[in-house]
Amino acid sequence: MSKPEKLLENGIRLDGRKPDELRPIKIKVGVLNRADGSCYFEFGGNKVIAAVYGPREVHPRHQQKSTSAVVRYRYNMASFSVEERKRPGPDRRSIEVSKVSREALEAVIFEEYFPRSAIDIFVEVLQADAGTRTAGINAASIALADAGIPMKSLVSACAVGKVDDTLVLDLNKDEDNYGQADMPIAMTPEGKITLLQMDGHLTKEEFKEGLEMAKTGCLAIHEMQKAALLEKYASQMEGDVLE
């Protein structure tokens, strides 16, 4: 893939979005019958499934914590998720993404409610199109809620970057590959940041502006996460009443 001449034309991005516009999002809750909680999440061209199991017994047992649960997060990109087939199995990037994503969610989970237990989160990327770690965190947060894991709040995530000297929200693949900066952020609706990474360079003013842009994006995603959960449980309650 060659670098486009421009990533912005008259203030509009190559995919037709304004700089502060998110890609289309589609959410489906409870897609896996055998998981305690699950979610299918589309974020632009990203297609991600998250599954949560637990709280359950920890194996191996030496990993148990006597005062809290162990949260485990496995992020994996399917071999067919990218244009050139990816080698199966964990690599350095997937291990790093798993670690920072787990930490982004651990901040809101009441781990102390489940000592000597494990909460396992699996995130599978079926199709990748830039921003898979933020898509995975959004999906995993919903799956945790669907599993009934007590949390202080949902976590929402998106990225802010800089292309052609302009700040943009939720980078697409070209912007991710050829932009000047990429800053994925996860936060609670109250504004508590649980993940912030940055690749590239932003000035102090751009960082502040980008942070505000990300907050607006995360709040919009949070509303969609809530709506998806309400849709599932409202329809279940309606079914129970009819029975």
Side-chain angles (χ1 to χ4, degrees), residues 61-237:
R61 296 185 74 174
H62 68 80
Q63 290 184 353
Q64 284 183 351
K65 291 182 182 176
S66 59
T67 57
S68 67
V70 176
V71 177
R72 299 185 289 207
Y73 189 110
R74 180 182 179 272
Y75 163 99
N76 183 58
M77 290 181 70
S79 299
F80 51 80
S81 64
V82 284
E83 287 177 10
E84 290 186 17
R85 186 178 181 276
K86 179 188 171 293
R87 190 173 179 176
D91 53 22
R92 181 183 290 184
R93 179 181 176 277
S94 64
I95 292 169
E96 178 251 331
V97 173
S98 296
K99 177 183 182 296
V100 297
S101 302
R102 172 178 54 78
E103 290 170 350
L105 293 165
E106 269 184 325
V108 299
I109 296 173
F110 287 101
E111 297 169 302
E112 65 273 23
Y113 287 8
F114 306 105
R116 304 182 189 282
S117 302
I119 298 168
D120 289 311
I121 306 166
F122 296 90
V123 169
E124 287 288 324
V125 179
L126 306 176
Q127 181 173 292
D129 184 35
T132 55
R133 81 184 58 196
T134 55
I137 290 170
N138 289 324
S141 179
I142 297 169
L144 282 165
D146 186 40
I149 304 296
M151 295 189 290
K152 295 166 191 169
S153 67
L154 291 169
V155 173
S156 311
C158 64
V160 171
K162 186 166 78 167
V163 299
D164 294 352
D165 296 322
T166 302
L167 289 177
V168 294
L169 181 65
D170 183 24
L171 283 72
N172 61 35
K173 194 173 181 182
D174 284 332
E175 293 165 346
D176 186 43
N177 287 343
Y178 304 116
Q180 297 154 286
D182 175 24
M183 185 168 71
I185 295 172
M187 63 175 65
T188 68
E190 294 78 28
K192 180 181 177 183
I193 294 172
T194 61
L195 166 75
L196 196 156
Q197 296 180 285
M198 191 165 81
D199 183 22
H201 177 73
L202 295 175
T203 65
K204 192 175 176 181
E205 290 69 30
E206 286 170 340
F207 177 81
K208 286 182 180 174
E209 189 183 338
L211 202 54
E212 289 305 312
M213 195 181 273
K215 280 183 184 177
T216 304
C218 285
L219 281 175
I221 293 168
H222 177 253
E223 291 303 316
M224 288 182 245
Q225 290 172 304
K226 271 198 317 183
L229 285 162
L230 286 170
E231 183 183 359
K232 177 188 172 184
Y233 289 101
S235 61
Q236 274 190 1
M237 288 174 67

